[in-house]
Amino acid sequence: MLSLARMHDDRSLRYGNGIWKIQPPTALRRDLPTLATVLRENGYTANFIGKWHLADTGIGAVPVDQCGGFLDFWEGANSVENTPHPYYGTIWDGQGNPIPWKDEYRVDFLTDRAVRFLKQPQKKPFLLFLSQLEPHFDQQGDGPRNFVAPRGYADRYRNPYVPPDLLHFPGTWQDQLPGYHGDVQSIDESVGRILQTLEEQKILDNTIFLFTSDHGCHFNTRNHVYKASPHDSSIRIPFLMQGPGLNRSLQLPQIAGNIDLTPTLLDALGVAVPSSMKGRSLMPLVHDPLARMRWDNKALIQISNSMVGRAIRTKEWTYCVADPDLDGGKVPFSTRYQEYVMYNNYSDPAQLVNLAARKPFKAVAAQLREELTGMIVASGEPRPTITPSKLYP
C-alpha cells in the first residue's frame, strides 16, 4: 500500500506533537506514534521523499532519530525551499549523503525519485510519503519571495481568473498568481506520473492514494504573510483519496482537519489507531449515511507566525480570536484573547464582511466563543478568557 500526502502543519502545538512554528525550527516529539511508526509495527515499510520541516537541525540533512519513523528509505531535506532554488539544490539520503539536482525543476526531480522508488520490487506493503514544496514561495530564488514556476508555465496564466476573496484586497496576487498557477500545474502533472507508475507496476488497484496539502495562500491580502490566518484561503486545502473500498465517487461536505488524516489512513488499512491520536477517522463517512448526519462539523484552527490566535470553523461560521500583545513567532499560546473576526460562510463565502461586534450577531458570537473555548481546552491548552470585541473592525 502507498499513501501520498503532506500532513505536517506549521500551526501545530508545541506540547502536542512538538511543532508549533518553523522558524527557528522545532523538533517533532519522539515519544509519540506517527503514521510511519504505527505502520512499521504492522508489517509495512515507511519511506519518505521531499520536504520534512519537522527537525530542529535547520537547513540540510535530517538525523535518523528525527525522521518520525521513516526508517526504511529516506531522501529529504529539512527545508527544501532553502536549498536553494527550484532548478538546483540538494536533498540527503538516510545516511546523510547529499543528492544534488541541477537544471531540473524541483517538482520533477522529486517525482523522479518517487517513480524510481515505485519501480523497485517491494517485499512488504509500503508507505511512501512524497512531500512536494510547490506551490510555495521560493525563499532564495528569482527575486524576493516569489513563486517560481517551471520555465514557460507562468506565461500560460498571464491573465488568470481572480477569486473574489482576493479581488477586492490589496496584496501580491497581481504579480504572483501566474507563477502560483504554474506551480499547481506542475503538481497536477506529478500526481499523474505517480498514478501512471502505479498502474504500470500493476499495484494501483491495491493502493490507497491520498493527496492533500498543509495550508493555502491568500497572497498577503489578510495579513503581512501569505498564510497563517483564519480565512478559508489559508485553511481550506485539497483532500482526495482513492483505493480499495474508497472508489465510490463521493464528495463529502463534512468539515475535517489534518489531524484526522492519519486515523483515516490507519482505519482504511484495518490498523488500530493509537489512543494518543486525537483525530477522527473519516471512514465512517464513506460507508454510513447516518454517520454523515451525526458528524460534528467543526474544526479548531491554531494560528502562529502572524499572530497568537485560535479559531473555530463550522459549516456556517468562522470565528477567530487573537492576543494582540504577543508575538506569534515566539509564544505558542495565550490565556487572554480578544475577538478578531467572524464571518458567515453561507452568505459571505469570500469572507469579505467581518461581523465581529455587530449587535445582530452577538448571540452567535457568544455561542461560538463557548465552543471555541471548549476546543482549546480539549487540545491541551489552559482555559483562556476571550474578550468580546466592542468596536467594528
Side-chain angles (χ1 to χ4, degrees):
M1 296 293 181
L2 170 143
S3 301
L4 172 68
R6 291 181 61 193
M7 291 184 292
H8 56 276
D9 191 340
D10 52 12
R11 294 184 298 253
S12 301
L13 288 176
R14 173 68 184 175
Y15 44 81
N17 63 18
I19 307 294
W20 66 274
K21 63 175 182 175
I22 57 175
Q23 296 296 338
T26 54
L28 184 69
R29 281 177 54 179
R30 305 172 202 182
D31 59 327
L32 293 178
T34 68
L35 179 63
T37 62
V38 174
L39 287 183
R40 290 187 90 246
E41 291 170 356
N42 285 271
Y44 290 72
T45 64
N47 313 279
F48 183 90
I49 297 172
K51 172 184 175 179
W52 184 238
H53 245 335
L54 297 172
D56 62 7
T57 54
I59 299 170
V62 178
V64 173
D65 63 347
Q66 295 198 44
C67 286
F70 288 94
L71 301 178
D72 296 288
F73 179 84
W74 176 278
E75 290 186 349
N78 198 41
S79 187
V80 175
E81 68 267 37
N82 290 315
T83 63
H85 188 280
Y87 273 97
Y88 56 88
T90 306
I91 58 176
W92 287 263
D93 66 18
Q95 289 71 48
N97 300 311
I99 307 172
W101 80 90
K102 186 177 181 180
D103 296 328
E104 184 178 17
Y105 192 64
R106 179 165 45 212
V107 172
D108 298 332
F109 170 74
L110 294 176
T111 305
D112 289 345
R113 309 302 294 186
V115 168
R116 175 175 171 268
F117 172 87
L118 293 173
K119 288 184 176 180
Q120 297 174 355
Q122 304 293 331
K123 297 181 180 180
K124 295 181 178 182
F126 62 89
L127 162 71
L128 174 61
F129 194 135
L130 172 58
S131 179
Q132 295 278 9
L133 179 70
E134 278 69 25
H136 196 287
F137 283 123
D138 183 61
Q139 308 287 14
Q140 300 181 30
D142 301 340
R145 298 179 65 81
N146 200 6
F147 294 95
V148 182
R151 295 185 182 105
Y153 276 46
D155 294 336
R156 306 179 189 179
Y157 305 101
R158 283 300 172 194
N159 187 27
Y161 166 75
V162 181
D165 64 315
L166 300 180
L167 186 61
H168 303 288
F169 290 98
T172 57
W173 57 266
Q174 297 90 341
D175 296 325
Q176 293 180 342
L177 269 179
Y180 182 86
H181 286 317
D183 281 356
V184 172
Q185 177 64 34
S186 71
I187 292 294
D188 287 347
E189 294 168 358
S190 170
V191 170
R193 288 185 60 199
I194 296 296
L195 291 173
Q196 181 181 357
T197 302
L198 292 171
E199 187 170 18
E200 291 171 350
Q201 297 300 114
K202 303 186 185 306
I203 56 175
L204 180 60
D205 292 339
N206 193 36
T207 295
I208 292 177
F209 181 95
L210 190 156
F211 175 84
T212 188
S213 184
D214 56 350
H215 57 75
C217 179
H218 60 67
F219 298 92
N220 299 89
T221 57
R222 305 292 186 156
N223 57 34
H224 63 278
V225 295
Y226 62 96
K227 55 180 181 179
S229 82
H231 304 87
D232 279 4
S233 48
S234 284
I235 68 173
R236 191 171 183 181
I237 57 175
F239 170 43
L240 303 171
M241 196 170 176
Q242 71 174 48
L246 294 166
N247 299 336
R248 302 179 58 185
S249 300
L250 288 175
Q251 183 174 349
L252 298 172
Q254 284 75 19
I255 290 177
N258 280 2
I259 197 172
D260 301 316
L261 299 188
T262 291
T264 299
L265 282 169
L266 293 176
D267 192 9
L269 294 170
V271 175
V273 179
S275 59
S276 61
M277 291 186 177
K278 294 184 178 181
R280 303 171 291 177
S281 172
L282 306 179
M283 291 305 296
L285 303 181
V286 176
H287 301 297
D288 184 1
L290 291 178
R292 298 169 206 163
M293 297 175 61
R294 295 190 294 263
W295 188 258
D296 188 10
N297 281 296
K298 59 184 180 182
L300 173 66
I301 312 301
Q302 301 163 340
I303 308 168
S304 61
N305 191 15
S306 67
M307 67 177 78
V308 179
R310 299 292 181 266
I312 180 174
R313 174 63 158 88
T314 71
K315 281 193 169 184
E316 185 172 5
W317 299 99
T318 294
Y319 175 82
C320 179
V321 302
D323 188 331
D325 297 322
L326 297 182
D327 186 332
K330 296 180 179 179
V331 182
F333 67 91
S334 176
T335 58
R336 297 182 299 171
Y337 293 106
Q338 298 178 13
E339 281 185 352
Y340 172 46
V341 295
M342 184 172 77
Y343 299 104
N344 187 312
N345 300 312
Y346 286 165
S347 63
D348 180 24
Q351 298 176 326
L352 302 178
V353 181
N354 185 358
L355 299 175
R358 297 181 182 266
K359 289 183 179 180
F361 302 97
K362 284 193 173 183
V364 176
Q367 178 183 348
L368 292 169
R369 192 181 311 126
E370 182 178 351
E371 289 188 62
L372 176 58
T373 299
M375 296 181 77
I376 289 172
V377 172
S379 75
E381 295 183 29
R383 179 177 294 275
T385 59
I386 299 176
T387 303
S389 179
K390 296 180 180 180
L391 299 173
Y392 291 171

